[in-house]
Amino acid sequence: MPRVFSVALPPWLTHALRAQRGPVPWNAVVRGALAAGPLLLAAVLAGRESVGVMAALGAMLAGINDRPGSRRTAVHRIGVPGLAGAAGLVVGTYAGEGLGAVPLTLILTALGLLAGAVSAVGPVSSGAGTQLLVAAAIGAGMPLPEPGWQRALFFLAGAAWLIALRLALPTPGALAHDFRFDGERVAVADVYDAIAELLAAAGGEQAGARRAALTAALDHAQDALAGPRLRRYASSSAERRLRAQYAAALPLAEAATALAWAGDALPARTAEGPRRLAVAVRTGEPCGPLPAPARSVPGLRALDDALLHAAETFDRGGKQTGRKQTGGRKPGSRQEIDGKKAGDEHGAALHSDADAALHSGAGTNPLDRGARQTAHKGLRLRPFRTKALLRTVTGPGGREYGFRVALCYGASAAVAQALHHVHWYWLPATAVFLVKPDLGPLVSRVLNRAAGTVLGALVFAGFAAVLPRPEGLIALVAISGALIPVATRHFAAQTAVVTVLVLALVMVGGEPEASWSRIGETLLACAIVLIVGHLPAPGQRGGNVRARLDAATDAAHAYLTHVLSGADDRAARWALRREAYRKLAEARAAIDRAAAELPTLARHTEGTDEVAATLERLVDTTTACAVHLDDTGRLTPRHTERLATLLDELVEQRERAGLADPPADLLSA
């Protein structure tokens, strides 16, 4: 047989070739086609091309942030960066008009330091920092007749237009149920599906990946339901029902995690109940009888109680009120799958007791009380605090990111002005996208940006040679806007589409075709960012990863302390568990990006993946402890020994990775 040779590509190259997958978001494609293109067309017809360019830029940058999710989260994710971009336009325009090259460069550098540090807070802050710097460079370098405040106003109008489209246009399937809910309903249903997948994978090699997928689904649903609102609490019965269904999924997720931690395979019917609940969320119909697991171990008893509570929750929100019709489980319901067994009969008697307790109306059941509190108040255990925000901005992650952004942004602005290029804004604007670590490893970003710009410039040069003006260019802007939601799956594709769109806008605004100069400026920006990204920096490298791991350790500590304290506040426990898993997911994402850097940069975060893995096992074990304590009131030697082993491993691994010691009270827990 002939030998088959396989070549293992380095991580920094495989990351550059990796692309996200999934169905085409047709609703976002329609919004993209109706955003920048029509705005530009209206301005051209009115004889105000420069106004149309500003509005189309605002809509384009908003389109980059138009990701899948609920309407509420879209308002926040698009609106906050839009406001930051408008502020950047004002600062950049007036600074560019009144200052010379040197003071202007210093102002832009200081702006880069601030925006970079704020970007360490989270994805929305990162998007806001990016738009602030891009808009500041455009305001300082793009020659337009309007004053700065008018530019900002029309830029905001473009972003607001896309938000209006997001709020007004229905998504597929929304009209069949409640028009107000699109991403929320799908997100909650995905949680129940993820619970079913974790139960099906228990005892197998995929259990860890399924638990991570459940964390992602819970994070997405939590964000979808916790977006900005006019009133603090849910104002409609449909929203209250959806929030209650999400709250009912939390004890199910807790029990499923504990069962996966135990490592024993489960019968196939164990996952059937969550699957039926997922269908009920999507369709808005009653869930029907739910098959119950045998109540043989604490994890299965917790799962059974959580299923009963979920059936009650769906029953109260359904069109009918009878338990037997909408999800109340009866002894016969479990015969649907594999017949009546002795364990099933025992479970039926327990169900009758639990049913009576839930219907007593006293609300003394901890599971029911915790779910009601969560559905009413949400999962935000720790309110927004200015001190915590400042610690993130001024911490090691914020300082390192701010320093890199400021240096790249300032150096690009200085080089561009030194070259006496009339439209020098492209160079610092390109550097901003290249220096963003949340878009991927440094070399991956550089390779994709260079390839995408070359491809986009060549494509535009071909179209510009044959398209009529300006109608052909306006059509090109509309088509590019429609392609952005699909192109965001890969940085090179996104860069190519945005390059075509921006070059078309520049020509509509009265500038000559600039494909070749854009290629040269982009390659120069790539070189600057590569050099600056590998320069030695004050302090310890890998600050963002270390900050994320420290936050994850603190969250795991708070969760473990609450569970071992014996507190019976389920709502607080679920909120702490959600925070611990969310912080772990953020740390894991930062570690994976850092590991795909060139070896000279990747070595600064060596060993952090082991710390994250230990923290994940610690939080999983804490969840198993919580479920066992609910059932028996005490821990088994297996639980205590596992906790002690993991805490010892955590100390050793943090020391090897060069991290600070964990909290002393965590080690004494």
Side-chain angles (χ1 to χ4, degrees):
M1 292 180 60
R3 289 186 178 181
V4 178
F5 295 94
S6 60
V7 179
L9 298 176
W12 58 266
L13 186 55
T14 56
H15 190 282
L17 301 175
R18 191 183 308 160
Q20 300 176 3
R21 296 183 179 182
V24 176
W26 292 110
N27 49 340
V29 170
V30 172
R31 290 194 298 271
L34 297 177
L39 290 175
L40 185 61
L41 176 60
V44 169
L45 293 176
R48 299 289 302 275
E49 289 82 359
S50 58
V51 168
V53 169
M54 276 293 105
L57 279 174
M60 179 202 74
L61 291 174
I64 295 176
N65 294 317
D66 186 13
R67 301 299 178 89
S70 67
R71 289 186 174 91
R72 283 203 184 102
T73 53
V75 171
H76 185 244
R77 186 166 53 256
I78 297 173
V80 172
L83 291 171
L89 271 175
V90 172
V91 173
T93 300
Y94 290 115
E97 292 174 353
L99 299 176
V102 174
L104 175 60
T105 301
L106 293 177
I107 291 292
L108 294 179
T109 302
L111 205 61
L113 181 64
L114 173 64
V118 171
S119 296
V121 174
V124 175
S125 298
S126 179
T130 299
Q131 288 204 29
L132 174 70
L133 297 181
V134 170
I138 291 174
M142 180 178 284
L144 293 175
E146 289 77 21
W149 67 270
Q150 287 189 15
R151 297 186 189 185
L153 187 62
F154 292 121
F155 181 91
L156 268 180
W161 172 243
L162 186 64
I163 293 176
L165 292 174
R166 183 68 181 88
L167 295 176
L169 294 181
T171 54
L175 296 178
H177 305 291
D178 194 324
F179 172 77
R180 293 167 295 177
F181 303 110
D182 51 355
E184 296 97 329
R185 191 183 301 279
V186 174
V188 174
D190 288 344
V191 170
Y192 284 100
D193 278 333
I195 293 171
E197 294 297 330
L198 176 58
L199 291 171
E205 297 180 354
Q206 295 297 318
R210 296 302 182 188
R211 204 275 304 150
L214 174 58
T215 294
L218 284 164
D219 288 345
H220 183 61
Q222 182 179 349
D223 292 340
L225 294 172
R229 63 180 69 246
L230 297 178
R231 297 180 60 182
R232 181 179 179 185
Y233 300 119
S235 57
S236 68
S237 59
E239 183 177 357
R240 287 192 293 270
R241 181 166 60 250
L242 197 57
R243 288 167 66 91
Q245 290 170 346
Y246 173 74
L250 298 176
L252 279 171
E254 188 175 58
T257 301
L259 289 168
W261 176 87
D264 297 326
L266 302 173
R269 70 174 185 177
T270 308
E272 186 63 25
R275 286 198 179 96
R276 294 188 185 183
L277 292 171
V279 174
V281 174
R282 288 192 173 92
T283 61
E285 299 296 328
C287 58
L290 299 178
R295 298 171 62 92
S296 55
V297 294
L300 287 173
R301 287 192 286 272
L303 180 68
D304 198 17
D305 291 341
L307 279 172
L308 176 59
H309 170 74
E312 288 291 323
T313 300
F314 280 65
D315 187 15
R316 287 191 293 266
K319 298 178 181 178
Q320 306 175 29
T321 57
R323 265 181 69 77
K324 294 182 180 180
Q325 295 173 340
T326 58
R329 291 172 296 157
K330 52 185 178 179
S333 67
R334 54 191 77 198
Q335 296 179 24
E336 301 174 47
I337 296 184
D338 48 63
K340 195 171 185 178
K341 299 181 180 179
D344 292 336
E345 294 175 357
H346 177 62
L350 292 176
H351 289 169
S352 299
D353 296 338
D355 191 19
L358 283 174
H359 277 284
S360 65
T364 56
N365 183 286
L367 182 62
D368 187 58
R369 184 171 62 250
R372 290 178 184 272
Q373 292 174 356
T374 300
H376 183 57
K377 297 182 179 180
L379 276 170
R380 299 299 182 185
L381 182 69
R382 301 181 183 181
F384 173 81
R385 292 188 177 94
T386 304
K387 289 184 178 180
L389 177 63
L390 290 177
R391 281 198 300 269
T392 302
V393 172
T394 60
R399 291 197 304 269
E400 181 182 3
Y401 190 16
F403 171 77
R404 296 290 173 185
V405 172
L407 198 54
C408 289
Y409 191 58
S412 300
V415 170
Q417 293 179 88
L419 294 176
H420 303 290
H421 198 288
V422 178
H423 308 302
W424 53 267
Y425 57 86
W426 185 271
L427 192 59
T430 300
V432 171
F433 287 104
L434 287 172
V435 79
K436 281 177 61 63
D438 50 342
L439 291 179
L442 177 60
V443 175
S444 174
R445 297 194 304 270
V446 168
L447 291 176
N448 284 318
R449 184 73 185 188
T453 300
V454 172
L455 176 61
L458 292 176
V459 169
F460 178 78
F463 279 117
V466 298
L467 289 177
R469 302 177 190 177
E471 55 270 20
L473 297 177
I474 295 173
L476 197 58
V477 168
I479 294 173
S480 299
L483 291 176
I484 284 179
V486 180
T488 51
R489 298 177 180 181
H490 194 274
F491 193 39
Q494 176 183 310
T495 300
V497 173
V498 170
T499 298
V500 172
L501 195 153
V502 171
L503 288 173
L505 287 178
V506 169
M507 288 194 69
V508 172
E511 303 296 329
E513 198 271 328
S515 297
W516 309 116
S517 62
R518 293 296 181 262
I519 292 177
E521 291 160 356
T522 297
L523 295 178
L524 182 57
C526 291
I528 292 173
V529 171
L530 274 178
I531 293 172
V532 172
H534 290 84
L535 287 176
Q540 195 174 23
R541 293 296 295 264
N544 183 51
V545 171
R546 298 172 192 279
R548 299 289 184 189
L549 270 180
D550 287 340
T553 302
D554 291 341
H557 163 230
Y559 179 39
L560 178 60
T561 302
H562 179 87
V563 168
L564 296 185
S565 70
D568 201 22
D569 188 346
R570 298 290 180 90
R573 188 174 86 193
W574 296 337
L576 289 169
R577 179 168 61 87
R578 289 274 54 256
E579 184 176 11
Y581 278 122
R582 179 184 286 270
K583 295 298 183 185
L584 271 170
E586 293 173 354
R588 176 64 75 180
I591 291 168
D592 291 343
R593 286 193 298 267
E597 297 281 8
L598 288 177
T600 54
L601 296 180
R603 63 183 178 85
H604 295 290
T605 56
E606 288 179 353
T608 54
D609 55 337
E610 298 176 359
V611 177
T614 300
L615 279 173
E616 288 172 347
R617 291 194 295 270
L618 178 62
V619 176
D620 287 345
T621 304
T622 304
T623 302
C625 290
V627 171
H628 200 85
L629 284 170
D630 288 342
D631 187 73
T632 65
R634 61 183 183 276
L635 296 179
T636 65
R638 180 189 180 190
H639 290 94
T640 55
E641 291 172 3
R642 187 60 176 159
L643 284 175
T645 300
L646 289 172
L647 291 173
D648 290 341
E649 290 179 2
L650 182 62
V651 173
E652 296 175 0
Q653 290 167 355
R654 287 181 65 92
E655 183 179 355
R656 286 198 298 267
L659 299 169
D661 293 334
D665 48 350
L666 173 61
L667 302 180
S668 60

